[in-house]
Amino acid sequence: TELRRRGFASPHGTALDIGANIGVIGIALVLRGYAARVIAVEPEEANFELLVRNVQQNGLTEAIWCERLALGAFEGSVEMELSPDNLGDHRVRGPLGSAPGAYGEDLRATVTVPASTLDDLLERASPSGERPSLIWMDVQGFEGRVLEGGTRTIQAGVPVVAEFWPYGIRRSGLDRDQFCGLVESLFSGFVLLGARSATQGIGELRRMFDQLVTTT
């Protein structure tokens, strides 16, 4: 409702679903008319296989393009730590990955997955230069690293729906000032979806970060 009210749900546009998991969001974006096309990005192998299968079973292979990648600040590969009991909580391992964490992250098995940047992915996926109409991102605290690799895209004025989880952000290697400074350079305001719908100044994120960082 909020996306449509603000004109951010283009039925003719291309949306990015970053951290697509098994396709729940990307498929809904197309079926409910929030986008005509979706680029669904999911790095973990088992989730990716289910993503592809779900896209096929919904008859959306022409509308949803699936990429098995982790998006971040550079091209190459990254280590992903695997949750043993929550297939939605696999995470790219940041600099603090080997340090003990609230969820036993340092004990998780890891796999190497291919990595790219958001800007480079879009250059390959949209050679005509079409910018996405919407970015939906839930990558368990790695959102700041995705933004680092997508500044050209974001600066073009693309709206972003994203999780805000200070604990995970710090595990990715970004402190409050680094993360908030990056976000402040890219956005002027934000809305808490599911809460009050008023736009808040982007500087308010620093206060929210401090409020939430001690929680898990």
Side-chain angles (χ1 to χ4, degrees):
T1 299
E2 190 66 26
L3 288 170
R4 285 200 166 111
R5 187 175 77 83
R6 293 172 178 268
F8 291 151
S10 169
H12 309 295
T14 298
L16 267 75
D17 182 12
I18 303 173
N21 198 259
I22 64 173
V24 173
I25 296 298
I27 290 170
L29 288 175
V30 174
L31 292 182
R32 298 187 180 185
Y34 291 92
R37 296 166 299 281
V38 167
I39 301 172
V41 184
E42 169 57 43
E44 198 276 324
E45 184 176 12
N47 282 343
F48 183 80
E49 290 177 357
L50 290 172
L51 166 66
V52 171
R53 184 178 301 178
N54 285 337
V55 168
Q56 293 170 342
Q57 289 182 343
N58 280 275
L60 296 175
T61 53
E62 296 297 317
I64 300 180
W65 175 20
C66 301
E67 282 272 354
R68 189 180 168 219
L69 282 173
L71 293 185
F74 56 84
E75 293 268 347
S77 62
V78 293
E79 290 298 304
M80 172 157 280
E81 52 190 37
L82 304 179
S83 170
D85 53 15
N86 181 353
L87 300 183
D89 192 35
H90 304 319
R91 304 183 212 159
V92 176
R93 174 159 283 186
L96 300 181
S98 60
Y103 301 92
E105 296 96 332
D106 54 309
L107 303 177
R108 290 181 174 185
T110 62
V111 294
T112 302
V113 298
S116 181
T117 68
L118 171 58
D119 286 340
D120 287 343
L121 171 63
L122 285 175
E123 283 186 6
R124 297 194 300 270
S126 301
S128 63
E130 176 196 13
R131 68 180 179 89
S133 55
L134 173 69
I135 293 174
W136 190 291
M137 176 167 53
D138 183 354
V139 289
Q140 302 303 95
F142 211 66
E143 286 78 9
R145 299 303 190 183
V146 176
L147 293 176
E148 284 181 326
T151 55
R152 292 197 307 273
T153 300
I154 304 301
Q155 286 170 345
V158 179
V160 175
V161 178
E163 180 183 41
F164 178 61
W165 185 30
Y167 172 85
I169 292 167
R170 291 180 69 182
R171 294 289 295 186
S172 79
L174 295 176
D175 62 23
R176 183 200 69 170
D177 290 340
Q178 290 170 321
F179 176 81
C180 291
L182 171 64
V183 172
E184 288 165 2
S185 74
L186 297 172
F187 303 96
S188 60
F190 68 96
V191 175
L192 294 178
L193 296 181
R196 60 177 182 167
S197 59
T199 300
Q200 300 184 55
I202 200 66
E204 280 293 298
L205 275 184
R206 292 179 185 263
R207 179 185 59 80
M208 289 180 57
F209 198 106
D210 290 339
Q211 287 179 335
L212 298 172
V213 73
T214 57
T215 70
T216 57

